[in-house]
Amino acid sequence: MDISRPGLQEAELKAVKAVHTLAWFTIEAAIVYVLYAGIRGRSDRRAAVAGTVVFAETAVFAGNGFHCPLTAVAQRLGDSHGSVTDIYLPKWFAHNLPAIHVPLIVLAVAIHWRNLRRQFRSGSAGTRTRARAFLSREG
């Protein structure tokens, strides 16, 4: 049974879109966790890991001219719009993701900044020592 290239391209495009959807869900979960942890006053290692995921995604997006790097892959596979979100996310939502994310990221940074400042100001020497140790640890 011979698989034609157009059929294979369509399957590859669906795979790229599925991978993108999984990545999107992971990043969204990280943003939600960072906001939740910040609101709960938990500026800890888990929040830092989730924040790193969000920062990495933002850096990749910005480094690629504020376009998803998978857009070019989708275009090479035959998607006329180069969209990696049009099947698995509502069109209006996919189109406005950057406008939705930027305020959430700014809010998360502000909340955690406030939390860390409070830890440094009000905490005992032990709290400051733990916070400094947390911030200075590698990996």
Side-chain angles (χ1 to χ4, degrees):
M1 184 172 187
D2 186 26
I3 298 177
S4 68
R5 185 67 186 147
L8 182 59
Q9 279 181 317
E10 185 177 328
E12 290 171 341
L13 182 60
K14 285 183 180 184
V16 166
K17 291 180 181 195
V19 167
H20 182 271
T21 301
L22 179 62
W24 171 82
F25 180 76
T26 302
I27 294 160
E28 291 303 313
I31 287 174
V32 168
Y33 182 77
V34 169
L35 287 167
Y36 170 79
I39 291 167
R40 301 287 296 174
R42 297 179 185 162
S43 293
D44 56 10
R45 190 170 302 189
R46 285 183 187 164
V49 169
T52 300
V53 169
V54 174
F55 175 79
E57 183 270 340
T58 303
V60 167
F61 187 72
N64 199 52
F66 296 96
H67 297 285
C68 178
L70 293 177
T71 297
V73 175
Q75 286 175 328
R76 281 196 302 271
L77 291 173
D79 191 283
S80 60
H81 299 94
S83 175
V84 289
T85 57
D86 61 357
I87 288 179
Y88 304 111
L89 296 175
K91 187 175 182 174
W92 67 267
F93 188 69
H95 180 72
N96 292 302
L97 278 175
I100 295 167
H101 278 231
V102 171
L104 294 177
I105 291 169
V106 169
L107 178 62
V109 168
I111 290 170
H112 285 281
W113 181 263
R114 180 202 65 192
N115 291 346
L116 291 171
R117 285 182 59 209
R118 283 183 183 171
Q119 285 179 2
F120 278 113
R121 284 184 183 169
S122 67
S124 64
T127 301
R128 284 192 290 268
T129 301
R130 283 192 304 275
R132 284 188 188 117
F134 167 76
L135 294 173
S136 66
R137 283 190 187 165
E138 295 179 349

